Every structure is written in C-alpha cells, then in structure tokens.
Amino acid sequence: MLTTAFVLAGWGGYPARAEAPQDDSGTSPSASAPSKEAPGEDSEDTNKPDPEQLAAWEENGVPLLEAYCIDCHNEDYKEAGLDLTPFLSLKDVSPPEFQRVLEMVRFGAMPPEDYDTPEIEERKQLVHALEDAAFSSTCDLRPKAGKVTVRRLNRSEYNNAIRDLFGIDLKPADKFPSDEVGAGFDNNGDVLSLSPMLIEKYFEAAESVADAVIGDPKELPSIDKDVAPDQIPVYGNFEVGSFNGRFVDKESFAWIDLDVPFDGEYRIGIRGGVTTSKADPVTVAIVDGEGLLLKTVELKYFGGGGSADSERETVELKRGKRRLGFIPILEEQELKVGETRFDQMTTMDEAVVNEVIEGLADPIPPNRRIDFAEHPFMFRSFEVNGPSRHPKDAFPPKHFDLVRHVAPQNRGRYKDVRQTAMKNLREFMPLVFRGPVTDEEIKPYAQLVEQATGERESFYVGMRRALTALLVSPRFLFRAELPNADAEPNEFGDYALTQHQLATRLSFFLWSSTPDETLLELADKGKLAGEEVDKQVKRMLEDGRATALAKDFAAQWLGLRNLDGHEADEKRFPMFDDQLKLAMSRETEMLFMHVIRNNLPVSEFLTADYSFINEPLAKLYGIESPKGNEFQRVSLEGTPRRGLLSHASVLTLTSMPTRTSPVLRGKWILENILGIKAPDPPAGVPELEESETAAATASLREQLELHRASSGCASCHRVMDQLGFGLDDFDAIGRFRTEDSGHPIDASGAMPDGRSFNGGAELSKMLGDTEIEALARTMTERMLTFAIGRELTPDDRCTIDDVVEKTRPNGFRLADIASAIIDSRQFRFQTPTR
C-alpha cells in the first residue's frame, strides 16, 4: 500500500475544488454589456455608448423596436415585467435584459401572433442590430482570451489516458462518481469538484492500474508440478513396488497431461531406472501427444528400495492442453529428435485413459514378487517446471516500456535500486506528467522502489508503487495551464500556452486523452507551431482515438448520453432494448466522425442521404442491409430519412415513453441546430397531461393546439411545436409512420420566419439549405466550449464570429471549424486568474 502521507504531500498548491475564474473586479464572468474604454484608458461614463454604435442602432434597431415592442414593454405597461424604453438610447441596459430580449426575438416568440409581427427580413435585421449593439465594441477592443480553471480529468479522459499510456483498456474511472456538467459538457473546470470519495477512488484505481500494467514474473502463471509414484498414469500393464514405483512391462509406457500457460522451454525431470543392476541403461523417449520425439534421457539401475536414477531435460512446449509420453526404448532403434514418431501416443484409447486416471484415486497394494524380466523398467516420479523464461506476450503490453531496466541481484538482494529505478522513471514520467521532469522530481518516486526492495519485495513491486504514486499526483490528475516564471504577457495581459500545454489542449480536445509521444517530442523541440499544428490536427483526426470527439463532444452536444436512461413502453415498443439503444447512438456517432474526417460541410448533418446502420437498425428503419451487428454505410435514397433529424437516436430521446413529443423535438432543433435557447416556461403552467383535455378521440396535434390556447404558452409553443410537427411522421423510437392511433399523421409545420414544410425530409432540406450559418455558429459555440473547457462569455463571441467568417468561403466544413478554433486566441492563450 502506498504511503498516504507521501502522496498527499504532492498535492500542495492544487485546490481540491478549483475556484471559478474571476475578472479584475473579483466577480465571475457573465454576459455583459460592452465596455466602451480601450485597455489602459479611463472613461468618465462607461455606460455611454459609442457614437457610431449608437447611430447604427438608431438606424437599424430603434425603428423596429418602436414598431413591434415598445407598445407592450414600456414604463407604463411593463409586460412580463420588462421595460424596453432604455434600449432606445442603449443607456442603463443591464446584461441580463440584453440577453433576454435577444433570445426572445431570435427565438421568434415575440411579438405574439395576435399583434403586428415583423416580416422575416425585419426580424433578422432586429436580431443583427441587437447583436451589433451588444458585442461589436467588445470585439473592437480585442478582449482577453479568458481564464480556464485548473481542472481534473473527467472520467472519460482518465479512462482514455490510462488506455493510451499503458495499452490496456481497463476503464478504472467507471467506478468513480459521475462528473458534473457545466455549459453542456462534463469537462468544464468550474464544476469538476473533488470529493473525499473521489480521492479514495483515485488511490484504488492507481493501485489496480499499476498491478495490471507491470507484471511480476513470480506472479505469472507457470508449471511447478511433481507427480508422485502413486499418481503416475501408465498405459498398459504394470506392477506396484514397495515404494509405489510403477514397474512396467515391455509394451507399456507412462504419460502426464499438462495445461501449458505459455509457449516456452520447460524443464522435465524423470526419476526411475532399469530394474536389475546387470541390465544396460535404458533410453527413455520424451514424446508429445502426436508421438513426435522431443528429447531422450538415459537411466541406469534404479538402485533398489525407494531410490531411483534421475535425469532432467528441457523441452519446447506450446501453450494449451498438452500430453507428454515417457516411453522406455528396450530394443535397438534409431532415434531422431523432431523426426521419430511413436504410434503409441496417437492410438491411445480415451476410454482407457479416463479409466486409468480415475483409478489413481484408489491405492494399489504393492507386489513384493515382481518379475523384473517381464517388467524391465520402473518409473518413480516426474517433475515439470517452467517456463524457464516467460515470453514477452506473457507480460502486459507496456511492461517493458515501464521496466526497461531491472536492478541486479546479489545473493537474493537487489542492488543499485535507486539508480535503476530512475532510469526507468526518466523514460515514462514525461508521458504520465505530459511534460518534462527533472531528476529532483524523479527521485522521490525512485525512493519508493528502493523502500519496497528493502522490505524484501521484488523490484517489480517497487516499480508498481512508484507508478501508483505517479497516478495520484496532481501533475497527472489535473491540467494546470500556468505560465512559466519567466513568461511575459502580451499587450492584452494574456500568456501564450507553453508548447506542452498546447500539446495537452490538442490531445484532450481531439482525443479526450493524454498527448502521445509525437506531440510531446514536438513540444520538447519547440516545433509545435505554424503548419506543424495543422499537420498534427490532420493526423490526430485520422487516428482511432479521435472517435472520442463523437463519444464525448457530439454525444453531449446532441444529448445522446440521455439514451442510456431512456425508457419506452414495452408493450408498444417491444423491440426497444439496450442493443438497439447502442446501435442508435453508434449511427449518429459514425455520421459525426464521417463528416469531420472527410471535412464535409456541417449541412451534411441535415441533408445526408446515407447513414451507417447494422441489422437491428435496418429492421427498425425498414431498410435492407447486410446481416449482423457490423455497421455499414447504406443509401437513404427512396426513404423519408435525411440526416440527423431522422436518426432514431434523436427521435427517441426527444420522445416520451409512450408517444412522440413535438415540443421536445422542436426545442431540440432550436437549441442544437439553430442555436436558439428556448425560454423557460412561465411558473405554474401545467404539463400537457394536466391541462384541459380535448375529446378522447383527439389527435396529439389537437391536444397541443388546446394547450397553446393559454396565453402563457402560445408565444413559445407556436415556434417549438411547429418545428416538432415536422418530425411527427416518425414514432417514439424513430420508425416511419403514416398514422397514429387511427389518426392520419399531419407533419406540416412552419419555421419561426413563416416558411412552411411537410414532413421530416422537407424540414431537414429547408434547414440544410437556409440555416447552415446558424448550424455552423451553433457548432462553433459548442465546440469552442468543449475545446477550452469553460463556459463562454460575451468576449468569446468575437472568436465565434471569426471562426464563422473564416470558414464561410469553404461552406462551413467541420474540420475547418475545429482547426479555426485551435488557431484562436481562446485556444492558444490563457488569462491568469490573478
């Protein structure tokens, strides 16, 4: 067990729960109205808008605000508690008010249907005017890169790091408490707390990993077999002597069955001999189960009484169930190892074999009048030991990378332990710690190895203790992007990430795992810059580890992780089981990886006329495909399915257990595709099931129409429900349908700007044709949040705008978006907390 006090001493300077990033005033960042002063300048009135900004707002925003909003939201009426008259001058407008108005206008919930509503282009104009008023001056001032809290590895990152460091997919973090989620992702440093229980789990995990990845030869499977005389099976006739020796006749032989753990050399010992002192020594052939001669030994007179002659030989054995025969050669014949065969072994009757084995349980009385002429040879015992050296594949995959050197022994005691351990640690500690280490940093871990051997443990056990300590070190468990002591900030007060910090950000963004040797080597040489970064991003996306982007980023962006706990009515949907849920998630993850690896436009998520399915999904979709669980690309031509919106994963997680939910489906499209946050429902509004019900024969659409009759519901539901109705031609687990409980399906709906569609295919095409920029912006926001591991602030909007504009000419391709994020100041720089 690792010394607890020693390990905890290494945690100095790392907070158990890192505090949220603070701005210069000591407050947490949030959506805020733009500052009007340049860095380092004073301003008499920070709330006074920039003249150019105010002029643009008065021209493009104020007329629309007056036409559609001020009548209800003024000082006298304050509908919903909101007075918008300060917006006319952009003075004394609070950040939450700005954000709320922008979201409601973008969402399309305001103005309500029974008032004058803006035309499509007018709504877009008002949204752009609000955005420009809120953010344009902030971007002009080149805001700071932002602060990222020191954060621990989440469960996925921990598991992946262990897998990639040691070559075994152990998944120790599956036993950790669930990670908290912030801003939609579980790698947000501000919410990744560290509880006492988690600390205990870290120790348990570190010890179990160390035991699994460093092998001790003493603990590996081996054969150490002694076959006593009364347990020797003989095929044929034999007599038992006074000391249980097996005296065999001229046709009989002995054998043993072995379970060989590894290919290798095994030491075979035979005790016995000829039965008279005048007889010549006899050669005993050691043969395998096929009768092939492996080795020979020569035994003389056994010596009488309980004694015996003995010989040892080394034979090569293959892993698995093996049989060895021991055949006395009583007549002259030519023997060639590896060539001569003995038919006796291949003609053994297994019924007789079993009878002999069973008979070993019953003692046989000795015969004191054995005819030695008829029984010229006696077997006393056998020994089998080995392998003499365990093969490389007997050890864990990275064992010899972790233990390249073994301390020498002298009379059973290790020597030069610390020096040898430091050689090993110097090789792999930089990989575990994701950066350079000094000999002073290595020494305490080498001392743990020395301590273990001093307690008469093996050198391998000592290396396990050292590795356990490494895996509970803050340098492994935490990502702390602190500037070097000699680093200088740029003119905005930001510090560029070090080469190793950049390598770490890249790997945890694209792989959710630790950087590999290639990244660290480039960082060591200071070459992780410029075109080399682009080259590495391409390499990393092609690597199998990049599937973590689908499992960790896409799964959280799209809500796929909620499928695991989703339930569907067993009577209505008997085919809905865990296997089908896994297939649903896998289909969506594979489409995501296809889009990013081929650098396709993000519109492919909406318009793809193909998908990746296996047999369970093919049956659900009514599509012919190859049999089995193997996923293959299939065409969706001639089907009503296109892109993500027709994936069973999305359709299922936006449904109730017994029915579809146009509300949930519309909300999902708004938030995950269009990037429009749906407002929270007003307090006290009942659920659909609790509201006044329509006739018993009413369709779900008619029930929702009644629900929207409430003025508190109508403004938002007319937007969400319309989008959700477009997917109503798919049931609660994603099967296409034309009716529901006897009602013909009406899958018609309208976009927030009034454009109409009918069915999921038309909705997907409309979104893919006209809302690609909205999807690209949504993708950029989500991906930037995931890449830097913190909630975005208004300052980050400038980077989002840059990424969108940078990727616009090439059609908003997904890998281009990822590369643009990696090139951004938010990704490459850090604003210190203090």
Side-chain angles (χ1 to χ4, degrees):
M1 180 66 183
L2 195 64
T3 305
T4 304
F6 174 82
V7 178
L8 290 180
W11 287 66
Y14 284 78
R17 182 182 180 113
E19 60 185 39
Q22 306 289 309
D23 61 21
D24 295 337
S25 65
T27 60
S28 297
S30 61
S32 59
S35 168
K36 306 301 182 295
E37 53 183 329
E41 296 181 2
D42 295 326
S43 174
E44 294 180 1
D45 183 1
T46 57
N47 288 320
K48 186 177 180 180
D50 177 79
E52 291 185 9
Q53 177 189 356
L54 181 58
W57 166 247
E58 290 175 342
E59 178 182 352
N60 300 313
V62 170
L64 295 172
L65 204 68
E66 290 178 329
Y68 299 109
C69 306
I70 295 297
D71 283 351
C72 295
H73 300 285
N74 55 49
E75 189 175 0
D76 294 329
Y77 291 101
K78 290 186 179 179
E79 185 71 28
L82 187 60
D83 176 13
L84 297 185
T85 52
F87 277 75
L88 298 176
S89 62
L90 290 184
K91 191 171 183 180
D92 299 323
V93 179
S94 70
E97 288 175 320
F98 236 118
Q99 194 69 23
R100 183 181 180 191
V101 171
L102 183 56
E103 287 178 355
M104 291 298 285
V105 175
R106 184 189 290 125
F107 180 71
M110 289 292 159
E113 281 182 312
D114 51 352
Y115 286 81
D116 289 339
T117 57
E119 298 293 332
I120 295 173
E121 292 305 318
E122 287 181 316
R123 186 181 296 278
K124 290 182 178 180
Q125 178 182 326
L126 181 54
V127 168
H128 289 151
L130 284 165
E131 290 176 337
D132 289 343
F135 303 111
S136 62
S137 63
T138 301
C139 296
D140 291 340
L141 295 176
R142 291 286 304 277
K144 293 181 180 297
K147 310 175 182 75
V148 178
T149 303
V150 172
R151 61 192 183 278
R152 64 170 174 82
L153 306 187
N154 64 24
R155 295 200 303 172
S156 177
E157 292 168 341
Y158 188 102
N159 279 340
N160 293 344
I162 294 298
R163 177 201 65 202
D164 295 338
L165 284 169
F166 306 117
I168 306 179
D169 198 8
L170 298 171
K171 291 185 170 57
D174 287 358
K175 297 180 181 179
F176 295 175
S178 296
D179 295 313
E180 299 89 342
V181 175
F185 297 100
D186 60 6
N187 67 343
N188 187 314
D190 293 334
V191 300
L192 285 172
S193 60
L194 183 62
S195 65
M197 176 185 291
L198 183 55
I199 293 177
E200 291 181 9
K201 295 293 184 182
Y202 279 151
F203 275 87
E204 293 173 6
E207 290 179 329
S208 67
V209 169
D211 288 347
V213 302
I214 296 179
D216 188 339
K218 293 181 180 178
E219 300 172 1
L220 293 175
S222 60
I223 297 178
D224 188 11
K225 187 180 183 71
D226 287 319
V227 183
D230 62 342
Q231 295 301 305
I232 295 176
V234 175
Y235 197 86
N237 298 315
F238 67 94
E239 296 288 348
V240 177
S242 299
F243 295 90
N244 287 316
R246 265 44 181 170
F247 290 77
V248 297
D249 66 15
K250 297 178 181 179
E251 304 298 325
S252 302
F253 60 92
W255 89 90
I256 56 174
D257 289 322
L258 301 171
D259 190 358
V260 181
F262 304 104
D263 294 358
E265 294 183 343
Y266 290 80
R267 192 79 166 159
I268 309 296
I270 303 176
R271 296 182 68 238
V274 295
T275 54
T276 63
S277 58
K278 295 181 179 180
D280 293 331
V282 166
T283 296
V284 177
I286 305 174
V287 301
D288 65 14
E290 301 301 317
L292 183 67
L293 180 63
L294 301 178
K295 286 290 177 69
T296 62
V297 296
E298 190 174 82
L299 295 179
K300 298 176 290 189
Y301 173 52
F302 79 95
S307 60
D309 191 14
S310 64
E311 288 290 344
R312 289 179 176 272
E313 267 295 349
T314 299
V315 299
E316 290 276 350
L317 297 178
K318 294 292 185 180
R319 182 175 185 167
K321 301 289 185 180
R322 300 294 172 215
R323 176 169 289 174
L324 292 182
F326 303 93
I327 303 175
I329 308 300
L330 300 174
E331 296 181 359
E332 189 74 23
Q333 71 176 97
E334 183 180 14
L335 299 175
K336 290 186 178 181
V337 172
E339 295 183 15
T340 303
R341 290 187 179 273
F342 293 82
D343 295 336
Q344 296 97 311
M345 297 300 295
T346 56
T347 58
M348 294 174 70
D349 187 331
E350 285 303 312
V352 174
V353 167
N354 292 333
E355 183 180 345
V356 170
I357 297 297
E358 292 173 2
L360 295 176
D362 299 321
I364 300 176
N367 180 0
R368 304 186 187 281
R369 296 185 178 182
I370 298 174
D371 184 347
F372 292 148
E374 291 296 321
H375 300 82
F377 195 85
M378 183 272 292
F379 290 107
R380 177 74 70 194
S381 65
F382 299 119
E383 292 181 15
V384 183
N385 303 102
S388 57
R389 181 186 295 274
H390 285 89
K392 189 172 182 179
D393 61 5
F395 293 84
K398 294 296 183 74
H399 169 89
F400 293 100
D401 292 333
L402 300 169
V403 189
R404 293 177 184 268
H405 312 279
V406 179
Q409 295 187 68
N410 184 13
R411 296 183 179 179
R413 300 297 296 267
Y414 289 99
K415 61 180 183 178
D416 300 329
V417 173
R418 186 184 303 186
Q419 297 91 324
T420 307
M422 287 190 69
K423 288 182 182 179
N424 290 329
L425 293 165
R426 201 175 285 120
E427 295 282 345
F428 69 82
M429 269 183 66
L431 288 172
V432 177
F433 283 176
R434 304 183 285 275
V437 293
T438 65
D439 280 354
E440 286 302 310
E441 291 171 314
I442 297 172
K443 191 176 297 182
Y445 299 97
Q447 288 173 338
L448 287 175
V449 185
E450 194 171 40
Q451 177 185 337
T453 57
E455 296 170 358
R456 304 307 296 269
E457 298 283 3
S458 73
F459 183 79
Y460 302 95
V461 170
M463 288 299 301
R464 287 175 178 171
R465 291 189 184 181
L467 181 56
T468 300
L470 292 175
L471 296 180
V472 293
S473 165
R475 285 195 61 181
F476 171 70
L477 293 174
F478 282 84
R479 293 170 57 191
E481 295 166 339
L482 305 175
N484 290 333
D486 58 350
E488 293 290 337
N490 62 16
E491 65 270 32
F492 305 105
D494 295 332
Y495 290 83
L497 297 181
T498 68
Q499 288 271 290
H500 292 91
Q501 289 167 357
L502 178 57
T504 298
R505 271 206 182 185
L506 280 171
S507 64
F508 280 100
F509 172 30
L510 301 179
W511 290 344
S512 290
S513 184
T514 193
D516 62 2
E517 292 185 55
T518 300
L519 284 173
L520 291 177
E521 184 178 348
L522 288 169
D524 289 341
K525 297 176 180 179
K527 293 184 177 180
L528 195 57
E531 293 183 358
E532 186 59 49
V533 173
D534 297 333
K535 178 181 175 183
Q536 291 304 311
V537 170
K538 186 175 185 297
R539 174 185 74 89
M540 295 173 73
L541 287 176
E542 292 172 352
D543 191 284
R545 285 167 284 191
T547 56
L549 263 178
K551 295 184 177 297
D552 293 320
F553 167 68
Q556 293 185 85
W557 159 43
L558 300 172
L560 300 181
R561 290 185 177 181
N562 296 328
L563 266 177
D564 188 47
H566 186 85
E567 295 181 357
D569 186 87
E570 293 181 359
K571 292 182 179 179
R572 297 190 183 192
F573 311 107
M575 72 294 295
F576 187 75
D577 56 17
D578 290 342
Q579 182 185 25
L580 186 60
K581 285 194 284 188
L582 286 173
M584 289 176 175
S585 293
R586 181 69 175 144
E587 176 191 20
T588 305
E589 291 170 1
M590 290 185 73
L591 176 62
F592 177 87
M593 291 309 303
H594 175 74
V595 172
I596 195 167
R597 280 186 167 145
N598 291 280
N599 198 20
L600 301 177
V602 295
S603 58
E604 199 80 358
F605 289 126
L606 297 166
T607 61
D609 60 355
Y610 57 88
S611 193
F612 302 87
I613 63 175
N614 63 355
E615 184 176 0
L617 271 181
K619 289 180 179 178
L620 189 75
Y621 290 173
I623 297 174
E624 292 186 8
S625 75
K627 304 297 183 182
N629 288 318
E630 188 76 19
F631 280 79
Q632 294 196 22
R633 175 171 170 162
V634 298
S635 172
L636 297 178
E637 285 290 341
T639 77
R641 298 182 187 273
R642 291 295 183 274
L644 286 176
L645 299 189
S646 67
H647 280 203
S649 58
V650 173
L651 295 165
T652 300
L653 64 87
T654 55
S655 295
M656 309 298 287
T658 59
R659 61 169 175 80
T660 60
S661 174
V663 178
L664 291 179
R665 288 178 175 179
K667 183 173 182 286
W668 188 93
I669 293 170
L670 283 166
E671 295 185 346
N672 294 288
I673 301 300
L674 302 178
I676 301 174
K677 183 180 183 299
D680 294 329
V685 174
E687 296 291 333
L688 175 63
E689 290 78 1
E690 300 169 0
S691 61
E692 181 184 355
T693 58
T697 58
S699 68
L700 178 59
R701 188 175 189 124
E702 290 169 333
Q703 294 179 53
L704 285 170
E705 290 288 351
L706 183 61
H707 188 59
R708 289 200 305 278
S710 166
S711 60
C713 303
S715 61
C716 291
H717 278 274
R718 70 181 171 88
V719 178
M720 290 188 294
D721 295 3
Q722 287 292 311
L723 290 171
F725 285 142
L727 299 179
D728 216 33
D729 45 4
F730 299 101
D731 72 7
I733 61 170
R735 294 178 300 187
F736 182 73
R737 62 181 182 174
T738 56
E739 64 175 40
D740 179 27
S741 301
H743 298 284
I745 291 296
D746 180 1
S748 63
M751 296 285 288
D753 58 17
R755 288 173 293 153
S756 62
F757 51 82
N758 191 351
E762 284 190 16
L763 173 59
S764 294
K765 184 179 187 305
M766 184 175 292
L767 291 171
D769 288 344
T770 66
E771 303 303 321
I772 177 128
E773 180 173 344
L775 176 55
R777 182 172 293 275
T778 301
M779 175 66 69
T780 302
E781 290 176 353
R782 302 291 196 275
M783 190 171 277
L784 180 61
T785 302
F786 180 81
I788 60 180
R790 65 167 172 81
E791 188 167 2
L792 301 187
T793 70
D795 287 355
D796 299 316
R797 181 183 177 83
C798 313
T799 291
I800 294 168
D801 291 342
D802 288 344
V803 171
V804 170
E805 290 306 313
K806 186 176 181 179
T807 57
R808 182 191 303 278
N810 205 23
F812 305 112
R813 295 178 180 271
L814 187 53
D816 289 347
I817 290 175
S819 295
I821 287 172
I822 290 168
D823 287 339
S824 70
R825 287 191 307 113
Q826 267 72 2
F827 194 88
R828 299 292 188 100
F829 286 81
Q830 165 78 296
T831 304
T833 302
R834 292 287 182 262

